[in-house]
Amino acid sequence: MAIIIDGKKVSKEIKDEVREKVLALKEDGVELALAVVIVGNDNASHVYVRNKKRACEYTGIRSIEYDLAEDTKEEELLSLIDKLNEDKDINGILVQMPLPKSIDPDKVINRIDPNKDVDGFHPINKGKMLEGSECFLPCTPSGIIELLKRYNIEIEGKRCVVLGRSDIVGKPMSILLLSENGTVTTCHSRTKDLSSITKEADIIVSAIGKAKFLTSDMVKDGSVVIDVGMNRDENNNLCGDCVYDDLFEKCSAITPVPGGVGPMTIAMLMKNVLHSYENQKGK
Ligand code: GUN
């Protein structure tokens, strides 16, 4: 039987830590602000953005939303980013992904001031992450590292298997686990004999977005499973990448969906906005 890794509880602890500092700053007349830019009508993205705004309200960070139409021109979005980069009252800029097909996401990410890139998506921050130097880390993978640490799950020397190689989760997850001295294997759609790899893993992070993909026969007894998936099952219920009930019996620790990784992403974003202010002030 597994320990349930309670991302909701840990994320509240983190948000409370941020809130305390943000409220102390407010007493000194400083207000932190996050610009949240969303383009188009993607339903899931609107839900994520709503949750991010709620977390801002909770922590005392001002969120300024820019809700742009699906047919927004790339140039218009780039000009908005230029304006937000210049605005001294804005500490962080978040452009919700995915963007409509007519807009090149790399161009947009490249335009964000790396010092305000609270998502950790800018190439400068990615490069610094590779080096292991101080930077904004992407929120989902850094939230997973934080969860493992707060549950005293050792990464050093452990066999870590990451399922998925997306820019937002899989790739940075592999790098962060490596930075913590894990022995990391990244698996993806072209990986052969996946089960033989997952069965060797002490820690599995699944970020592939396939409902109930990871089954208990694919893991060894006592493994730790982190489920990043947000999928709908055959009955339209929210579920992760893992067959939770079966894995729960076999694993030593597991994250539920919902209430596992999801809330951590938002808590780490709040932490990044606070860091952004602290860095900007320190300059
Ligand atoms: N889309 C899915 N996850 C994320 C995220 O962490 N940040 C942004 N900006 N977009 C996303």
Side-chain angles (χ1 to χ4, degrees):
M1 281 238 294
I3 291 169
I4 298 171
I5 300 177
D6 188 345
K8 206 167 163 191
K9 182 177 131 247
V10 176
S11 73
K12 180 160 185 307
E13 287 166 14
I14 293 169
K15 284 187 291 184
D16 283 338
E17 290 159 18
V18 172
R19 181 181 148 97
E20 199 177 310
K21 290 185 180 157
V22 169
L23 293 185
L25 284 167
K26 248 188 198 160
E27 292 201 345
D28 294 338
V30 176
E31 189 178 44
L32 270 57
L34 170 68
V36 181
V37 182
I38 180 162
V39 188
N41 310 315
D42 184 73
N43 275 338
S45 291
H46 277 272
V47 173
Y48 293 142
V49 163
R50 195 164 63 229
N51 290 336
K52 287 170 187 179
K53 280 171 57 188
R54 277 200 191 127
C56 283
E57 270 163 36
Y58 182 79
T59 51
I61 295 169
R62 186 157 77 104
S63 70
I64 305 160
E65 187 177 347
Y66 296 85
D67 192 344
L68 308 184
E70 181 83 26
D71 62 358
T72 299
K73 299 264 180 301
E74 189 177 88
E75 269 312 312
E76 250 176 273
L77 178 56
L78 294 174
S79 315
L80 171 61
I81 291 171
D82 288 342
K83 195 184 94 180
L84 297 171
N85 283 341
E86 290 299 314
D87 189 336
K88 294 207 164 21
D89 293 332
I90 300 280
N91 305 102
I93 302 169
L94 177 148
V95 180
Q96 187 64 27
M97 300 292 162
L99 290 166
K101 286 198 172 55
S102 57
I103 300 178
D104 178 354
D106 289 336
K107 246 191 196 171
V108 173
I109 290 166
N110 276 293
R111 195 74 158 241
I112 296 172
D113 179 345
N115 296 310
K116 294 187 177 185
D117 170 37
V118 285
D119 261 324
F121 290 171
H122 193 285
I124 293 217
N125 285 314
K126 285 184 183 168
K128 286 185 176 175
M129 175 178 66
L130 267 178
E131 283 184 346
S133 52
E134 175 78 26
C135 65
F136 289 116
L137 294 175
C139 302
T140 301
S142 66
I144 290 170
I145 298 288
E146 191 76 25
L147 266 185
L148 293 170
K149 287 188 172 168
R150 290 195 187 213
Y151 274 83
N152 295 316
I153 295 168
E154 204 174 24
I155 303 169
E156 181 160 317
K158 294 293 162 68
R159 288 178 191 221
C160 306
V161 170
V162 178
L163 306 183
R165 54 174 161 176
S166 69
D167 287 333
I168 292 182
V169 186
K171 275 188 212 167
M173 187 74 253
S174 294
I175 291 160
L176 294 185
L177 288 165
L178 184 60
S179 302
E180 297 293 332
N181 299 316
T183 302
V184 183
T185 306
T186 310
C187 300
H188 46 78
S189 53
R190 312 282 169 87
T191 298
K192 296 212 166 69
D193 196 7
L194 181 66
S195 274
S196 71
I197 301 168
T198 52
K199 271 182 195 157
E200 295 286 312
D202 301 306
I203 300 171
I204 301 175
V205 178
S206 184
I208 53 172
K210 281 193 184 166
K212 300 182 181 176
F213 177 84
L214 190 76
T215 51
S216 59
D217 58 323
M218 293 171 76
V219 308
K220 71 174 183 185
D221 276 330
S223 55
V224 173
V225 170
I226 307 293
D227 191 346
V228 188
M230 275 284 191
N231 315 300
R232 294 274 164 190
D233 69 9
E234 58 284 2
N235 302 317
N236 207 34
N237 292 320
L238 194 61
C239 73
D241 291 348
C242 304
V243 181
Y244 180 83
D245 291 345
D246 295 353
L247 284 163
F248 177 77
E249 296 300 328
K250 202 166 180 185
C251 293
S252 60
I254 188 165
T255 58
V257 176
V261 174
M264 289 301 292
T265 300
I266 297 180
M268 298 311 278
L269 175 69
M270 298 300 108
K271 221 174 162 176
N272 278 353
V273 177
L274 178 61
H275 283 163
S276 182
Y277 165 76
E278 288 168 348
N279 291 341
Q280 286 158 13
K281 191 189 67 169
K283 262 196 254 146

